[in-house]
Amino acid sequence: MVRFKVNGEAVAVDAPPQTPLLWAIRENLNLTGTKFGCGIAQCGACTVHLNGEPVRSCSLPLSAAENKEITTVEGLMKTKTGQALQTAWIKEQAPQCGYCQSGQLMTAAKVVSTAKKNLSRTEILQAMSGHICRCGTYNKIAAAVSTAQKTL
């Protein structure tokens, strides 16, 4: 049994400690906003926050979450930052298929919460690098991050 908090709620997951955190989140906790993409921590679709830092949950063992705080996209959307990002994503029409968006949003939340408020497009693209968007909406994502950072 691995115990941790997810989106502020204490949980206990009965799964082998080497189980990828992604599968515990999706299968055991039924929080399906976090997506499986590549399974090797390269695409970013599975990004969640572990104690406030973006991590790739597909390659992180469940045991790494013991006594820690996990935030998923569902939890992020209940925050002021998440709501600002959601509004900006809609305004800038960032998503197309939307599959990578939960991971993109999790990284964007860190970018807008820790960075200076007037990041350039290049700085935003660099901070968001490491996420693969098959639709290629990187410029719209950068515009959405820029819009959100100005409202926070």
Side-chain angles (χ1 to χ4, degrees):
M1 193 70 67
V2 178
R3 298 177 196 296
F4 55 98
K5 285 187 176 179
V6 65
N7 301 330
E9 182 180 324
V11 298
V13 175
D14 187 14
Q18 70 274 16
T19 301
L21 179 60
L22 169 66
W23 298 118
I25 290 169
R26 289 183 59 82
E27 302 297 325
N28 297 82
L29 302 175
N30 201 33
L31 294 169
T32 57
T34 305
K35 303 299 183 201
F36 173 77
C38 66
I40 57 172
Q42 296 297 305
C43 74
C46 67
T47 302
V48 297
H49 289 177
L50 174 68
N51 287 348
E53 294 298 319
V55 297
R56 306 296 170 92
S57 64
C58 72
S59 63
L60 191 70
L62 177 59
S63 60
E66 182 77 42
N67 298 318
K68 296 197 171 115
E69 174 73 36
I70 303 295
T71 304
T72 66
V73 71
E74 292 92 345
L76 176 65
M77 289 303 121
K78 295 177 183 174
T79 69
K80 180 181 176 184
T81 298
Q83 292 166 5
L85 286 166
Q86 184 178 43
T87 299
W89 244 243
I90 293 166
K91 179 181 179 190
E92 300 298 340
Q93 299 180 3
Q96 280 189 22
C97 82
Y99 199 82
C100 71
Q101 297 305 300
S102 58
Q104 299 268 12
L105 286 161
M106 296 307 292
T107 298
K110 183 67 176 179
V111 171
V112 300
S113 69
T114 60
K116 64 182 185 179
K117 294 299 178 190
N118 293 311
L119 289 174
S120 70
R121 179 183 166 280
T122 301
E123 289 170 317
I124 291 169
L125 288 170
Q126 183 175 26
M128 296 294 296
S129 69
H131 286 272
I132 296 172
C133 173
R134 287 183 170 182
C135 302
T137 65
Y138 301 107
N139 289 326
K140 289 184 176 196
I141 290 168
V145 172
S146 179
T147 297
Q149 74 178 348
K150 292 172 186 165
T151 64
L152 292 169

